[in-house]
């Protein structure tokens, strides 16, 4: 999750979380090329591919996958294809003449086994879940917008990950990606979201801020409060995949809607291409400006193409409600203010979101949403609520207590430095926010943050007085 | 594999105006040439392997360029790109390659016997000599567009061909992903190792996908003949050695290249080549010979001369720092190489380097002795 503050300061290293969701009852777009030697037939002919019939991802499958990948690198592709029993195809490959090979022919010359990525050194959710069998099944499918599996996973192939941090390793190109490639998105979503089962579970959406209680923190400790999420416009491809005109359409639709906001929400749009030097400097000083991503996790997905075309920032005159357009998602929505009034921040968040939704609906548009996935965003890690609610809070004593980490874990909270993800805390001030995104509603998550931060501040006060603190009982993941 | 969804034909539902990139702040060859009308003509076309005009120009759209340096701003995804998108690429080629016309023919000459001299550049000044080019294997997509299967196919074909070289060309292949720590350090110390590109010009084209899968370095035991596999092109071939014997370097270069080509032909493959564009490579700037022949040479005095730039221009040479393109010279040592790639043969280009460097060294000696070089000023080649 990338903190707004960190992005505007140009911090590198964004954790892309992957989650997928399985949509029921929608058709799959399967490439209609006829293949004279079916993949299934080839399987029957060769020992080398027998493991592709494994229905589940097991330890054994993973080991075979890795030895398979090793084999790929040490044998000629032609030999391998011959062993697949695809004699005619292998011959065609080896003696390909100078005539141009069509995309269809290319698919036949290079079976999925030839294209399976080498994931031996990889540590991300995609690499843990992707087997040659799944890849073979999905490689030749396309979504209605022509998006493919290879495009979904490119970022995870290009970025092996970190031994300690498990990134997600894949993105969606459109709403349909989550369904068309469900066989890979589903296990990734479970891995990333505490076992949340896309096939059987429903995600609750609740943007009724009146349900929040105890939402005002002690200003002596809590310096600022913030809630962010993302929204995608249904019918338009997501940032990794969109064409320039689709991206411009997202901008147009959103800016038009935002122009209809009134009262404390009325504000102005600043397009990245047209911004003046003075405007740019002011937005940087206020920590609002986002810049072209530098993280290879993001650039490898294709979301930074054509920068800065159709990108921009909108904010209200009071500078408490801010929208990013066409950065990693169609829109990112941020409500924030100094001090500890999280309730007011969330109230404005919900009000603003609902008004924007009404305004786009008046013109026949809607957000991508469904009852299993919640709000659909580019990175599966942001599905569900896409919500990160957090505070900048001073915890000089608690942060030095050895129990600090465990307390946060049990409260389902995470800490970051005040520069955002991958930064260290400065002084004793931490960014504390919710860990989870999917399976709990917005109200539940914000309440969880409020309760958690109140607990942390209580601990800090107790430690100040020399009193002892307790590790709280762990919070349940999902309602059973 | 297309990068981003640029091959998406559903965008034909939008008009050309809606899709046309904003090139108002751009300064590259592509931006100079691509009008809305041209874009409208080309946007519904694709090569047989599915490469579209948006794929061609993506790197140029993403990288507006530099106020002083004119980058190319487009790449080819396959051999057919240069044909299908002629309307866009021909004017770019003409602008970049000194007025080379769509009807011009390019001569290929890899006969090292045709090079005059070149074995006597003064090693007190010329520290090292080097010739490089690129080759693409016909029938495969180029690095911006190839799938993993194709890239691996290119690698295994190349490794097999190189494995059959013998004599002073005999050598070994080091796959980037299988390299040991020691091998890696050795290759770094030898200045052979190439790494994943960081330049946004290259990254935006999609050529760094799946790194380091299918990439590697081959070099002969003598460390004078080196081949890069699947970096910016299918193959980059480099011949080099210390000192000023450019003739020997070029000899080995031609012999090696010719042998490699024969070995590929034995396996039923050939290099991408035609009589108009010469050798076909990923970047239009490397068409023709794809050849950069150069030396590292000490020119502390000449380089400070007010006419240095003009001399180089007339000799059809360019200067770089010894770190390569975009680096500054250190200690008066420059990398001097041919500026042209297309419209001259390999022999002609290396001849220009040999003759030009000889002249520059003579000028350097004159200036060292406090004498004038006015009578040595060359004519425009």
């Amino acid at each position: 999750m990338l903190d707004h503050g960190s992005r505007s300061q140009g911090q590198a290293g964004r954790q892309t979380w992957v989650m997928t969701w399985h949509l029921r009852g929608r058709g799959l777009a399967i490439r209609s090329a006829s293949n004279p030697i079916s993949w299934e037939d080839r399987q029957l002919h060769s020992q080398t591919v027998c493991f592709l019939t494994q229905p589940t991802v097991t330890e054994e499958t993973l080991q075979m996958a890795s030895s398979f990948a090793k084999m790929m690198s040490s044998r000629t592709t032609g030999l391998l294809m011959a062993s697949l029993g695809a004699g005619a195809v292998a011959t065609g490959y080896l003696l390909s003449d100078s005539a141009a090979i069509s995309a269809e022919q290319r698919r036949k010359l290079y079976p999925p086994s030839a294209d399976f990525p080498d994931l031996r050194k990889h540590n991300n959710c995609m690499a843990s879940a992707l087997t040659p069998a799944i890849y073979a099944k999905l490689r030749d499918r396309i979504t209605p917008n022509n998006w493919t599996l290879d495009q979904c996973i490119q970022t995870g192939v290009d970025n092996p990950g970190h031994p300690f941090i498990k990134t997600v390793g894949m993105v969606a190109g459109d709403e349909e990606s989550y369904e068309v490639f469900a066989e890979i998105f589903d296990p990734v979503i479970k891995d990333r979201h505490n076992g949340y089962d896309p096939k059987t579970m429903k995600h609750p959406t609740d943007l009724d801020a009146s349900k929040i209680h105890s939402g005002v923190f002690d200003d002596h400790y809590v310096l600022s409060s913030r809630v962010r999420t993302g929204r995608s416009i249904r019918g338009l491809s997501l940032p990794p995949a969109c064409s320039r005109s689709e991206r411009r359409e997202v901008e147009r639709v959103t800016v038009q809607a935002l122009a209809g906001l009134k009262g404390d929400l009325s504000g102005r749009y600043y397009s990245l291409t047209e911004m003046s030097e003075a405007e740019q400097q002011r937005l940087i000083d206020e920590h609002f400006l986002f810049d072209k991503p530098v993280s290879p996790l993001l650039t490898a997905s294709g979301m930074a193409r054509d920068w800065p075309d159709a990108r921009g920032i909108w904010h209200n005159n009071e500078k408490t409600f801010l929208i990013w357009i066409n950065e990693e998602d169609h829109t990112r929505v941020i409500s924030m203010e100094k001090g500890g009034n999280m309730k007011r921040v969330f109230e404005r968040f919900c009000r603003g979101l609902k008004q924007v939704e009404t305004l786009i609906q008046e013109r026949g548009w809607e957000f991508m949403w469904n009852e299993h996935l919640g709000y659909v965003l580019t990175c599966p890690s942001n599905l569900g609520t896409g919500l990160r609610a957090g505070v900048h809070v001073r915890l000089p004593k608690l942060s030095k207590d050895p129990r600090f980490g465990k307390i946060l874990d049990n409260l389902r909270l995470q800490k970051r430095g005040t520069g955002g993800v991958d930064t260290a805390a400065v002084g004793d001030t931490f960014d504390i926010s919710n860990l989870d995104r999917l399976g709990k509603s917005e109200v539940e998550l914000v309440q969880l943050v409020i309760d958690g931060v109140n607990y942390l501040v209580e601990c800090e006060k107790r430690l100040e007085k020399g009193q002892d603190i307790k590790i709280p009982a762990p919070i349940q993941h999902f309602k059973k | 594999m297309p990068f981003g969804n640029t091959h998406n034909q559903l965008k034909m539902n939008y008009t050309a105006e809606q899709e046309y990139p904003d090139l108002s702040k751009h300064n590259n060859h592509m931006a100079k040439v691509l009008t809305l009308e041209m874009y409208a003509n080309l946007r519904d076309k694709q090569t047989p392997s599915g490469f579209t005009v948006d794929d061609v120009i993506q790197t140029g759209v993403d990288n507006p360029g530099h106020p002083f340096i004119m980058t190319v701003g487009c790449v080819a995804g396959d051999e057919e790109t240069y044909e299908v998108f002629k309307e866009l690429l021909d004017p770019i080629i003409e602008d970049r390659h000194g007025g080379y016309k769509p009807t011009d023919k390019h001569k290929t000459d890899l006969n090292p016997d045709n090079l005059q001299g070149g074995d006597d550049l003064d090693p007190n000044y010329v520290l090292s000599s080097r010739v490089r080019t690129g080759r693409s294997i016909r029938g495969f997509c180029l690095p911006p567009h190839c799938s993993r299967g194709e890239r691996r196919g290119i690698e295994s074909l190349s490794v097999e061909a190189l494995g059959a070289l013998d004599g002073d060309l005999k050598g070994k292949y080091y796959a980037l992903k299988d390299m040991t720590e020691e091998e890696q350090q050795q290759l770094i110390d030898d200045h052979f190792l190439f790494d994943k590109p960081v330049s946004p010009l290259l990254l935006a084209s999609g050529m760094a996908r799946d790194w380091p899968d299918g990439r590697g370095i081959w070099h002969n035991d003598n460390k004078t003949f080196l081949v890069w596999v699947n970096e910016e092109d299918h193959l980059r071939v480099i011949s080099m050695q210390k000192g000023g014997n450019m003739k020997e370097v070029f000899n080995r270069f031609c012999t090696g290249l010719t042998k490699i080509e024969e070995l590929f032909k034995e396996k039923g493959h050939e290099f991408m080549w035609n009589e108009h564009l010469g050798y076909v490579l990923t970047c239009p700037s490397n068409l023709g010979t794809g050849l950069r022949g150069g030396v590292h040479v000490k020119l502390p005095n000449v380089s400070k001369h007010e006419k240095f730039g003009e001399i180089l221009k007339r000799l059809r040479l360019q200067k770089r720092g010894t770190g390569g393109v975009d680096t500054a010279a250190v200690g008066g040592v420059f990398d001097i190489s041919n500026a042209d790639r297309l419209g001259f043969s390999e022999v002609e280009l290396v001849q220009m380097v040999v003759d030009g460097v000889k002249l520059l060294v003579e000028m350097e000696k004159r200036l060292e002795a406090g004498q004038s070089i006015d009578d040595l000023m060359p004519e425009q080649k």
Side-chain angles (χ1 to χ4, degrees):
Chain A
M1 251 44 70
L2 188 66
D3 183 79
H4 152 64
S6 75
R7 189 125 51 188
S8 64
Q9 285 161 31
Q11 295 288 334
R14 190 208 189 281
Q15 281 209 9
T16 42
W17 293 24
V18 170
M19 255 190 66
T20 65
W21 186 243
H22 184 79
L23 292 168
R24 295 183 185 281
R26 297 175 65 157
L28 298 176
I30 299 186
R31 189 180 286 285
S32 60
S34 61
N35 189 344
I37 303 169
S38 73
W39 185 239
E40 289 68 30
D41 287 344
R42 286 202 201 114
Q43 286 173 345
L44 295 174
H45 291 304
S46 175
Q47 188 68 21
T48 47
V49 297
C50 68
F51 66 85
L52 293 171
T53 59
Q54 298 291 333
T56 55
V57 178
T58 63
E59 186 61 33
E60 187 190 5
T61 315
L62 284 173
Q63 273 174 13
M64 290 176 96
S66 72
S67 58
F68 176 85
K70 237 181 246 180
M71 180 171 64
M72 270 306 308
S73 66
S74 60
R75 303 174 71 176
T76 64
T77 311
L79 263 182
L80 178 65
M81 289 168 52
S83 75
L84 292 176
V89 174
T91 309
Y93 166 74
L94 291 170
L95 296 182
S96 62
D97 61 17
S98 57
I101 300 173
S102 74
E104 297 308 326
Q105 287 171 295
R106 198 166 300 278
R107 292 250 169 246
K108 295 174 198 167
L109 285 180
Y110 297 95
S113 56
D115 278 334
F116 186 74
D118 183 349
L119 302 171
R120 286 172 293 166
K121 295 197 176 92
H122 286 59
N123 181 42
N124 57 52
C125 298
M126 179 278 293
S128 298
L130 187 70
T131 63
I134 294 174
Y135 184 75
K137 198 165 173 199
L138 299 181
R139 186 196 71 164
D140 293 339
R141 287 192 193 161
I142 52 171
T143 70
N145 297 306
N146 264 25
W147 192 246
T148 65
L149 174 71
D150 279 322
Q151 288 167 315
C152 286
I153 67 174
Q154 191 66 59
T155 179
V157 176
D158 287 351
N159 297 289
H162 195 274
F164 308 141
I165 302 167
K166 198 169 191 185
T167 48
V168 168
M170 61 190 305
V171 293
D174 51 17
E175 193 168 8
E176 295 84 351
S177 295
Y178 290 104
E179 182 192 359
V180 174
F181 306 116
E183 280 98 329
I184 181 63
F185 275 119
D186 283 0
V188 166
I189 195 178
K190 276 196 199 136
D191 186 3
R192 184 60 172 204
H193 287 270
N194 313 306
Y196 188 88
D197 185 353
K199 286 187 177 50
T200 59
M201 293 167 74
K202 288 199 168 64
H203 168 81
T205 291
D206 185 357
L207 285 161
D208 180 358
S210 67
K211 293 179 184 161
I212 297 293
H213 59 83
S214 321
V216 184
F217 303 118
D218 185 340
D219 274 22
H220 182 64
Y221 297 89
V222 175
L223 308 177
S224 61
S225 309
R226 180 181 183 271
V227 181
R228 70 83 160 153
T229 188
R231 291 288 185 265
S232 310
I233 312 282
R234 177 162 279 163
L236 296 168
S237 300
L238 296 169
C242 64
S243 69
R244 279 181 293 274
S245 45
E246 286 185 288
R247 197 184 298 112
R248 291 164 180 170
E249 187 76 344
V250 168
E251 185 188 37
R252 191 192 63 76
V253 169
T254 309
V255 171
Q256 197 176 54
L258 293 169
L261 291 175
K262 300 194 185 344
D264 71 317
L265 292 179
S266 79
R268 219 200 106 171
Y269 181 62
Y270 302 86
S271 141
L272 250 59
T273 49
E274 287 159 15
M275 210 175 273
S276 69
E277 286 286 338
E279 283 171 342
Q280 190 172 311
Q281 196 51 53
R282 179 182 68 74
L283 289 166
I284 290 173
D285 295 339
E286 285 166 345
H287 306 292
F288 282 175
L289 186 65
F290 65 86
D291 207 353
K292 181 170 181 179
V294 293
S295 163
L297 294 168
L298 295 177
T299 53
S301 74
M303 42 104 33
R305 287 168 301 126
D306 314 311
W307 202 276
D309 196 318
R311 274 82 169 191
I313 290 165
W314 180 99
H315 69 78
N316 67 347
N317 299 328
E318 300 183 6
K319 300 178 189 176
T320 53
F321 193 61
L322 169 68
I323 316 264
W324 290 354
I325 294 178
N326 284 318
E327 199 243 7
E328 181 189 330
D329 281 297
H330 283 173
T331 67
R332 283 288 177 94
V333 180
I334 301 147
S335 171
M336 58 206 251
E337 61 184 64
K338 291 241 181 283
N341 198 336
M342 180 60 95
K343 186 173 164 81
R344 186 164 64 202
V345 167
F346 186 55
E347 181 274 329
R348 181 170 53 244
F349 176 83
C350 296
R351 188 160 47 89
L353 271 175
K354 289 210 204 83
Q355 284 187 24
V356 172
E357 184 158 22
T358 306
L359 287 161
I360 66 169
Q361 280 168 344
E362 279 169 12
R363 289 188 161 74
W365 297 91
E366 51 181 6
F367 291 141
M368 293 183 193
W369 179 94
N370 66 68
E371 59 176 2
H372 295 285
L373 279 170
Y375 288 101
V376 175
L377 295 174
T378 303
C379 182
S381 69
N382 281 318
L383 288 168
T385 61
L387 187 139
R388 191 171 94 86
V391 298
H392 283 185
V393 58
R394 291 189 319 105
L395 298 170
K397 290 193 155 28
L398 180 58
S399 58
K400 292 187 187 61
D401 191 296
R403 293 165 287 187
F404 185 40
K406 186 77 181 138
I407 293 172
L408 290 174
D409 282 349
N410 284 7
L411 293 174
R412 303 296 308 155
L413 296 176
Q414 72 172 184
K415 75 179 196 303
R416 303 180 181 189
T418 52
V421 68
D422 297 337
T423 66
V426 173
D428 303 305
T429 307
F430 288 83
D431 174 321
I432 302 289
S433 64
N434 53 297
L435 267 173
D436 303 312
R437 305 274 181 269
L438 175 70
K440 289 189 171 146
S441 74
E442 290 81 353
V443 165
E444 285 173 304
L445 289 176
V446 172
Q447 191 63 60
L448 179 150
V449 171
I450 287 169
D451 296 343
V453 170
N454 278 332
Y455 191 90
L456 295 174
V457 169
E458 260 311 299
C459 287
E460 182 68 22
K461 288 176 174 167
R462 289 177 71 87
L463 289 173
E464 277 173 18
K465 293 190 210 129
Q467 294 168 342
D468 197 17
I469 59 173
K470 275 205 306 232
I471 297 174
I475 294 175
Q476 290 260 334
H477 288 162
F478 312 116
K479 284 208 192 66
K480 297 294 173 197
Chain B
M1 191 65 226
F3 186 56
N5 204 11
T6 48
H7 66 303
N8 173 14
Q9 290 304 299
L10 294 174
K11 71 189 174 213
M12 295 306 294
N13 293 330
Y14 294 88
T15 67
E17 279 89 350
Q18 287 168 321
E19 279 290 348
Y20 183 67
D22 180 355
L23 300 173
S24 50
K25 297 198 175 84
H26 286 60
N27 183 46
N28 56 50
H29 285 291
M30 179 277 291
K32 278 173 79 177
V33 163
L34 185 71
T35 60
L36 173 58
E37 202 192 319
M38 188 187 285
Y39 183 73
N41 284 345
L42 295 177
R43 66 193 286 249
D44 60 348
K45 299 190 176 16
Q46 47 181 303
T47 67
S49 75
F51 208 61
T52 66
V53 71
D54 283 314
D55 292 320
V56 174
I57 67 173
Q58 191 67 58
T59 179
V61 176
D62 288 350
N63 297 288
H66 195 275
F68 310 138
I69 302 167
M70 189 69 144
T71 49
V72 173
C74 52
V75 292
D78 52 21
E79 192 168 8
E80 295 78 12
T81 301
Y82 289 101
E83 193 50 46
V84 173
F85 301 109
K86 253 176 108 47
E87 196 183 331
L88 168 66
L89 292 170
D90 278 352
I92 291 174
I93 289 168
E94 193 166 337
D95 198 1
R96 178 63 171 213
H97 292 281
Y100 194 79
K101 305 229 169 327
T103 47
D104 286 342
K105 301 247 188 294
H106 169 81
K107 4 182 220 312
T108 294
D109 182 359
L110 282 162
N111 184 349
D113 296 334
N114 291 341
L115 182 70
Q116 321 262 355
D119 51 355
D120 59 350
L121 297 174
D122 190 336
N124 291 316
Y125 293 85
V126 178
L127 307 176
S128 61
S129 310
R130 180 183 184 268
V131 180
R132 70 87 159 150
T133 189
R135 290 290 185 266
S136 310
I137 305 177
R138 180 161 277 163
F140 291 84
C141 289
L142 295 169
H145 190 46
C146 65
S147 68
R148 280 181 291 273
E150 285 185 287
R151 200 184 298 112
R152 291 160 178 170
I154 292 157
E155 184 189 31
S156 64
L157 277 174
S158 304
V159 171
E160 262 195 74
L162 295 166
L165 290 173
D166 56 13
D168 74 316
L169 293 178
K170 180 161 151 357
K172 198 182 147 187
Y173 181 68
Y174 303 86
L176 249 57
K177 64 181 181 183
D178 295 334
M179 217 174 267
T180 66
E181 287 286 339
E182 294 81 24
E183 285 169 340
Q184 190 173 309
Q185 195 51 52
Q186 183 63 54
L187 287 165
I188 291 172
D189 295 339
D190 289 331
H191 304 290
F192 282 176
L193 187 64
F194 65 87
D195 208 352
K196 182 170 179 176
V198 293
S199 163
L201 294 168
L202 295 178
L203 295 175
S205 73
M207 41 95 47
R209 288 168 300 125
D210 314 312
W211 202 276
D213 196 319
R215 275 85 170 188
I217 291 166
W218 180 96
H219 70 78
N220 66 350
D221 300 333
N222 297 340
K223 297 185 183 176
T224 53
F225 194 66
L226 168 67
V227 178
W228 292 354
V229 179
N230 284 318
E231 196 242 6
E232 182 188 331
D233 281 296
H234 287 170
L235 300 170
R236 282 288 176 96
V237 180
I238 301 147
S239 170
M240 59 204 252
Q241 65 194 52
K242 294 243 179 282
N245 196 339
M246 183 60 98
K247 188 157 178 75
E248 198 170 89
V249 168
F250 188 57
N251 223 315
R252 187 185 313 114
F253 177 80
C254 296
T255 311
L257 265 179
T258 313
K259 279 226 172 74
I260 292 171
E261 186 158 17
E262 273 164 27
L263 289 162
F264 270 100
K265 287 213 168 106
E266 279 169 22
K267 292 178 166 24
H269 292 274
E270 47 183 7
F271 293 144
M272 292 185 195
W273 180 94
N274 65 66
E275 58 172 6
H276 167 52
L277 293 177
Y279 287 102
V280 173
L281 294 174
T282 304
C283 181
S285 69
N286 281 320
L287 290 167
T289 61
L291 187 140
R292 191 172 94 85
V295 298
H296 284 185
V297 56
K298 284 197 249 189
L299 300 172
N301 291 295
V302 176
S303 58
K304 293 196 189 70
H305 195 278
E306 56 174 5
K307 293 229 173 71
F308 185 43
E310 178 65 20
I311 294 167
L312 289 176
K313 184 165 162 295
R314 292 190 188 179
L315 293 173
R316 305 194 74 91
L317 298 176
Q318 70 175 191
K319 72 179 199 300
R320 302 179 181 189
T322 51
V325 67
D326 297 336
T327 64
V330 173
V333 180
F334 286 81
D335 173 322
I336 302 289
S337 64
N338 54 294
D340 304 297
R341 304 274 182 271
L342 175 68
F344 298 91
S345 74
E346 287 82 353
V347 166
E348 285 171 329
L349 291 176
V350 176
Q351 191 69 63
M352 277 187 229
V353 173
V354 161
D355 297 343
V357 170
K358 208 160 174 190
L359 181 64
L360 287 167
V361 169
E362 218 188 308
M363 286 179 166
E364 180 66 26
K365 288 175 177 170
R366 287 274 196 96
L367 290 173
E368 266 177 33
Q371 295 164 347
S372 141
I373 56 169
D374 290 344
D375 60 316
L376 292 177
M377 284 298 289
E379 297 291 309
Q380 175 67 56
K381 279 197 186 247

